């Protein structure tokens, strides 16, 4: 089974179900960590759904990333955020919670990108939801900082 082919297929329901299965497996084992580079390659796909799948699957590997791939490719991942559709951005923000949980050293770079996001491009109905998602992620980042660093931020 070629999972990249299935993740990029026109059957979006099947691809989404595969994404969910891959994320669930990735939460329990490093079975798909060797696919990190292939998942990263999905970020350049012309289809926004496929890019979002790639982003989420890269983030799902955070727990198993002992080689520093997320650190090395974080700029590529975060570059997806400014132009993402609102639902894709919300999914990306949720996926990033995994990254900052398992790779807290990346939190400051994630937060820096989040602080620079221009939410004015989104409809008024979506903006508060995105702001809440960003605030939740930033709170998570701050909660993972050593207490000495937390005091400096406040």
């Amino acid at each position: 089974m070629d999972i990249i082919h299935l993740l990029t297929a026109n059957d979006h329901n099947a691809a989404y179900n595969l994404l969910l299965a891959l994320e669930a497996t990735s939460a329990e084992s490093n079975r798909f960590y060797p696919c990190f580079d292939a998942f990263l390659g999905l970020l350049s796909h012309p289809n926004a759904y496929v890019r979002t799948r790639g982003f989420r699957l890269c983030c799902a590997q955070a727990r198993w990333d002992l080689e520093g791939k997320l650190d090395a490719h974080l700029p590529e991942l975060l570059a997806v955020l400014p132009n993402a559709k609102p639902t894709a951005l919300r999914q990306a923000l949720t996926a990033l919670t995994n990254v900052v949980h398992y790779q807290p050293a990346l939190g400051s770079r994630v937060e820096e990108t989040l602080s620079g996001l221009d939410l004015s491009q989104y409809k008024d109905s979506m903006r508060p939801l995105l702001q809440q998602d960003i605030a939740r992620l930033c709170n998570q980042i701050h909660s993972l900082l050593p207490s000495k660093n937390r005091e400096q931020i406040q």
Side-chain angles (χ1 to χ4, degrees):
M1 165 174 70
D2 181 7
I3 60 174
I4 299 303
H5 175 73
L6 294 172
L7 287 168
T8 59
N10 288 334
D11 185 347
H12 294 293
N13 286 333
Y16 181 72
N17 287 331
L18 176 60
L19 166 68
L20 295 178
L22 294 172
E23 285 178 322
T25 300
S26 295
E28 300 297 323
S29 81
N30 67 350
R31 179 176 173 200
F32 294 108
Y33 180 72
C35 300
F36 182 93
D37 293 329
F39 297 151
L40 189 67
L42 296 176
L43 296 181
S44 61
H45 196 277
N47 185 295
Y49 292 118
V50 174
R51 289 192 303 271
T52 301
R53 290 177 205 135
F55 186 96
R56 287 175 57 174
L57 288 168
C58 284
C59 292
Q61 306 314 308
R63 181 178 190 174
W64 315 110
D65 185 23
L66 303 177
E67 298 173 23
K69 289 184 178 188
L70 278 167
D71 184 20
H73 296 286
L74 194 62
E76 291 168 70
L77 286 160
L78 296 177
V80 171
L81 301 181
N83 300 316
K85 295 180 181 187
T87 53
L89 179 55
R90 293 197 74 203
Q91 289 181 46
L93 294 170
T94 300
L96 283 169
T97 62
N98 207 35
V99 171
V100 300
H101 178 76
Y102 290 109
Q103 304 285 332
L106 302 180
S108 62
R109 290 166 54 199
V110 170
E111 186 174 26
E112 184 180 323
T113 298
L114 297 178
S115 68
L117 286 179
D118 177 15
L119 300 182
S120 67
Q121 64 182 312
Y122 301 108
K123 292 181 181 179
D124 291 344
S125 59
M126 286 303 293
R127 219 171 295 134
L129 296 172
L130 292 167
Q131 289 168 333
Q132 288 172 3
D133 292 342
I134 290 170
R136 190 176 306 116
L137 184 54
C138 288
N139 286 338
Q140 180 185 358
I141 291 167
H142 291 191
S143 73
L144 294 170
L145 290 173
S147 60
K148 184 178 179 183
N149 290 355
R150 261 187 269 155
E151 291 168 9
Q152 290 174 352
I153 290 174
Q154 296 171 352

